[in-house]
Amino acid sequence: MKRKNTFEKKYPLLAPHISDEVTRQNMLENSDLLRKYELFSNLISTFIGELDKRFDKDTILQLIKDTVLKLPDELLQSVIIAYLNSPEAVKSNADFLNFYNKTLHLGTECVHYIEKNGIICSRKYLNIPSIVIDDKYHNVKTGRESFKGERIDSIFYSLSFENKQLLLAFIESSTLSVLDLIFGSSELSLSPLLTALHNAHVSCDMFSNDMLNKLGLDDLRLLIYILLDMSYVDLAIIHIKALVQKNRIELIKRLIATREIYFIYELTFDEIDNLSDEEILKRLDKSDVNLLKKDE
């Protein structure tokens, strides 16, 4: 009787639903669970109250075990908030937790979306990333963004999800104007250009005003075209950024001019730190290789 009274005193919200003595004893010995329960007692109380209105005792017990007893603080708070903000059809769907868990795999921003708007208990949950990125664009745009004189507003919503992500990164980092400078005279329209950049892993930070000011438009343009044609571009970009950070701009320009930039991925970080410009140029010399023509 003493053990029973102790459980009901420590877990009054859960006592009507958990009667198994082994489970109760384990909960009494779990100090972190007690801390979590006390921290979120108001939220848990509201949550269980909503479950009581809709489900039988066995379903409620399982949902309590899968949420209150198992989830860490952040996820417990998140799933309860998402459930409480859901429409009646979702609140009455015993499978809501499964769909919440599926949304977790879509990323933090998608989870924040269902916390605000409710869990989606259908395959429509797969549309959440597109909804989120469209909302994000709507919130950050000025309406004046353009590429080759065409308003981004007239282009954005027709793009693929990956291209929307990349274009939004250009807008958020204020590098869209540099992208326009570099490719404004090319025949590429925005969608295939973004696809090419995405496939080559060339991110918007290569189009920063710092890169433009240090390299100049012509060298930066040539560097971008080379990156689009380069092997091991991820490693190459890391090394280029390391040289920029060390302000070895003349070396980068010489590597671009000689096309030895194609082989910058072969360098080690130790070589970048310790070799002179001439030693790096010699280290990457591939004069017998037919590279991109300079006037391209």
Side-chain angles (χ1 to χ4, degrees):
M1 180 64 69
K2 182 178 180 181
R3 180 182 299 170
K4 181 177 180 180
N5 290 339
T6 300
F7 184 83
E8 291 177 342
K9 182 178 180 180
K10 288 191 174 183
Y11 294 102
L13 298 173
L14 304 181
H17 301 283
I18 298 176
S19 58
D20 179 71
E21 285 301 321
V22 174
T23 303
R24 285 188 167 204
Q25 183 60 31
N26 289 337
M27 291 173 65
L28 287 173
E29 295 172 357
N30 190 333
S31 59
D32 188 63
L33 176 61
L34 181 60
R35 175 202 59 78
K36 181 174 63 175
Y37 171 84
E38 292 175 343
L39 179 63
F40 297 113
S41 59
N42 290 336
L43 204 56
I44 292 170
S45 176
T46 305
F47 178 54
I48 293 177
E50 293 296 311
L51 297 181
D52 280 334
K53 296 175 186 178
R54 296 171 175 86
F55 303 113
D56 60 67
K57 62 179 184 179
D58 290 335
T59 302
I60 294 172
L61 175 59
Q62 189 60 51
L63 287 170
I64 288 173
K65 288 180 176 179
D66 290 340
T67 55
V68 178
L69 303 192
K70 290 184 179 180
L71 296 179
D73 292 17
E74 185 177 354
L75 284 183
L76 176 62
Q77 185 177 29
S78 173
V79 70
I80 293 178
I81 290 173
Y83 176 78
L84 295 179
N85 285 331
S86 297
E88 178 58 35
V90 172
K91 286 184 177 179
S92 300
N93 189 332
D95 202 31
F96 73 85
L97 185 59
N98 181 44
F99 281 96
Y100 173 86
N101 289 335
K102 289 179 178 179
T103 306
L104 284 178
H105 301 299
L106 300 178
T108 302
E109 291 181 336
C110 293
V111 175
H112 290 331
Y113 176 84
I114 63 169
E115 288 173 359
K116 180 179 179 180
N117 298 282
I119 301 166
I120 298 176
C121 288
S122 71
R123 286 187 61 80
K124 290 183 179 179
Y125 81 90
L126 294 170
N127 296 331
I128 295 175
S130 293
I131 296 171
V132 168
I133 201 166
D134 287 354
D135 285 349
K136 192 172 183 181
Y137 168 69
H138 180 76
N139 291 330
V140 303
K141 70 171 185 171
T142 66
R144 299 186 298 273
E145 294 86 0
S146 65
F147 181 77
K148 294 187 177 182
E150 185 177 4
R151 295 284 186 181
I152 297 300
D153 268 346
S154 67
I155 307 171
F156 185 85
Y157 296 104
S158 65
L159 298 174
S160 68
F161 177 75
E162 291 76 14
N163 285 350
K164 284 180 179 179
Q165 282 185 308
L166 184 53
L167 180 53
L168 188 59
F170 275 103
I171 294 171
E172 290 183 305
S173 62
S174 300
T175 53
L176 183 60
S177 59
V178 180
L179 180 74
D180 199 13
L181 273 175
I182 290 176
F183 291 100
S185 60
S186 73
E187 295 181 357
L188 280 172
S189 59
L190 185 58
S191 181
L193 171 59
L194 292 171
T195 298
L197 293 172
H198 172 76
N199 290 342
H201 300 171
V202 180
S203 59
C204 61
D205 51 0
M206 292 302 297
F207 296 82
S208 69
N209 283 301
D210 183 57
M211 292 289 289
L212 177 62
N213 293 333
K214 287 180 176 178
L215 291 178
L217 179 57
D218 290 339
D219 279 323
L220 181 57
R221 178 186 288 119
L222 185 53
L223 174 60
I224 297 299
Y225 275 104
I226 289 173
L227 289 173
L228 290 173
D229 186 52
M230 186 184 289
S231 301
Y232 307 104
V233 66
D234 291 329
L235 187 55
I237 288 175
I238 291 172
H239 289 343
I240 290 167
K241 288 179 179 178
L243 291 175
V244 170
Q245 188 175 15
K246 296 176 182 299
N247 207 33
R248 300 180 73 175
I249 305 304
E250 290 306 314
L251 173 59
I252 296 174
K253 290 184 174 184
R254 291 178 66 184
L255 289 171
I256 293 171
T258 60
R259 303 302 189 269
E260 287 156 10
I261 195 79
Y262 269 97
F263 306 101
I264 193 172
Y265 67 85
E266 294 182 1
L267 292 175
T268 65
F269 287 109
D270 183 66
E271 287 174 324
I272 290 175
D273 286 338
N274 297 302
L275 295 184
S276 67
D277 289 4
E278 294 301 329
E279 287 171 327
I280 288 179
L281 286 164
K282 184 177 180 180
R283 162 78 169 78
L284 299 180
D285 183 21
K286 310 285 183 179
S287 56
D288 59 331
V289 178
N290 185 23
L291 300 175
L292 186 69
K293 294 180 181 179
K294 187 172 183 178
D295 58 0
E296 292 181 350

